[in-house]
Amino acid sequence: MSAELAAPVAETAPERIARAWRVLAQVPDPEVPAVSVCDLGIVRDVLLAADGEGLEVVLTPTYSGCPATEVIEQNVLGA
């Protein structure tokens, strides 16, 4: 695990969200791996989850019926 992925002990919600964006910027698109899911605009938002603990990542595929949607979701969850 890289230092970037390890959460600091006293990290604030805005810091967690900013760190999530940095991590997501490293998740490659499975169809065009030279660009990230953020570069393509697939990641629409990162929000603090209702439980106050987790984060919610809002994804919008580039088109409806995109065959890579499930792979993108799994890659984001694994990041």
Side-chain angles (χ1 to χ4, degrees):
M1 177 182 276
S2 72
E4 177 66 26
L5 298 178
V9 175
E11 190 175 40
T12 66
E15 290 168 338
R16 289 178 61 210
I17 290 170
R19 183 168 51 89
W21 277 106
R22 290 191 303 272
V23 171
L24 290 166
Q26 298 174 31
V27 176
D29 177 73
E31 294 177 316
V32 186
V35 296
S36 76
V37 292
C38 289
D39 294 334
L40 287 177
I42 294 171
V43 181
R44 304 295 280 179
D45 207 353
V46 178
L47 310 163
L48 189 62
D51 65 7
E53 294 294 318
L55 294 175
E56 179 180 338
V57 178
V58 181
L59 301 174
T60 303
T62 53
Y63 64 93
S64 62
C66 175
T69 300
E70 289 182 27
V71 173
I72 292 168
E73 179 182 3
Q74 291 304 311
N75 291 347
V76 166
L77 288 171

